[in-house]
Amino acid sequence: MTPMTAAIASSVVAPAITISHRTFATMRAAAGSRGASSSAESFVMALQGRSETLVIAAEEAGERLDRVLAHRVAELSRSRHKALILAGRVAIDGATIRDPGHRVNAGATVVLDLPPAEDVAVAPENIPLDVVFEDADLIVIDKPAGLVVHPAAGNWTGTLVNALIAHCGESLSGVGGAKRPGIVHRLDKDTSGLMVVAKTDRAHRALSRQFADHGRNGPLRRGYLAFVWGVPERPRGAIDKPIGRHPRVRDKMAVRAGGRPAVTHWEVLERYRGSDGAPVASLIACRLETGRTHQIRVHLAAIGHPLLGDAVYGGGFKTKASQLADHAKAALAALGRQALHAYLLGIEHPSQGTNLEFRSELPDDLLRLRHSLGAQGTAA
């Protein structure tokens, strides 16, 4: 990558982006980041294995029950709260509520019965892991494309969780439940790149708070590299569009009114010419201000620049491939996935208070795509 490209990326995802030939991690002290445990951590520690009471605030009136709980107790995912509601562990004003979509009223008393952390029941599997960093609290891995993060319908084995259980054994945090031990964030199956997993319950709570905050007030940073169709008119920008479940296709997300707030910052790093010499694709750096399902894929498609190889959100752009040179067509056809890579991850260490920063190179399939696109020539 040229110095000019690195300089462009620096304002999107600090520090400046580099596509290197090895994965590396850096650590630096964070002055003033240590201190007493937050009220949120104390709340959850007290909550485990017993009931706690929440009172719905005026500004939360009309919100879904699972959404309110996910906001109030961010250490657990919304899907985990949904499971607890369905299991009858949530009551409002004395009545058990089993509908995650129940709309709450201001002043209502919510009792949450959170069971102790579950024992991990998923079988360990000897799946190779690219471990970037590991200590007693956490493990950072460079996930390959094609690896599902946790067991679910259709993927009960062969997941990252199966591999982590084999690698970490009983040290893996059980706060996320039997199927998601240690998981505090996810990457799509066909997205490659950096992920952090908690090995202790304390680390799980601390990391979950950071991801819930999305880096607004803390050190969390997530940077992605995306190869997209077309070239945006501006060199950089932000997409501020709410994302919710697609109204007709339930396994897709969509920009829609009433969805959850979602903000993606982007900046063009490289522009690629097609076989006719006209710009046909771009390499874009993205930084997330929120963390919605399929956020980058949905947002970039919404502004007319879907990811190369994205059959779900970029199906209407298949004919664009005819504008590529033959070697670029071959690289795209061989890709077999969306061209998205999580290259940068910055977190605060959950017990040491230091800032950890990790970067990952583009994997071989995306390097081949980049080289084939660039061989036709880059556009100014």
Side-chain angles (χ1 to χ4, degrees), residues 166-301:
H167 179 86
C168 300
E170 296 181 357
S171 67
L172 204 59
S173 168
V175 170
K179 297 176 184 176
R180 303 185 185 186
I183 301 298
V184 295
H185 70 122
R186 294 182 296 170
L187 293 177
D188 293 341
K189 172 185 175 181
D190 290 327
T191 297
S192 55
L194 297 167
M195 283 188 62
V196 60
V197 177
K199 294 176 65 176
T200 68
D201 292 352
R202 176 182 177 183
H204 196 288
R205 290 188 291 269
L207 290 170
S208 294
R209 285 198 305 274
Q210 293 181 47
F211 278 90
D213 182 65
H214 300 296
R216 297 186 189 95
N217 304 298
L220 180 72
R221 289 187 304 281
R222 288 176 292 169
Y224 295 77
L225 293 175
F227 292 86
V228 305
W229 288 114
V231 177
E233 294 181 356
R234 295 178 294 152
R236 64 187 63 84
I239 307 167
D240 186 353
K241 297 178 182 291
I243 293 177
R245 188 70 59 182
H246 193 284
R248 294 179 300 278
V249 185
R250 298 306 294 170
D251 59 350
K252 288 181 62 175
M253 308 301 289
V255 170
R256 57 181 307 187
R260 302 182 71 188
V263 180
T264 302
H265 299 270
W266 59 268
E267 193 151 8
V268 178
L269 301 182
E270 296 176 349
R271 301 166 177 84
Y272 307 112
R273 298 185 187 277
S275 56
D276 61 357
V280 67
S282 309
L283 172 60
I284 290 180
C286 297
R287 176 175 60 84
L288 297 180
E289 192 173 310
T290 53
R292 309 303 175 214
T293 301
H294 299 175
Q295 178 172 320
I296 291 176
R297 300 166 65 191
V298 172
H299 268 173
L300 291 178

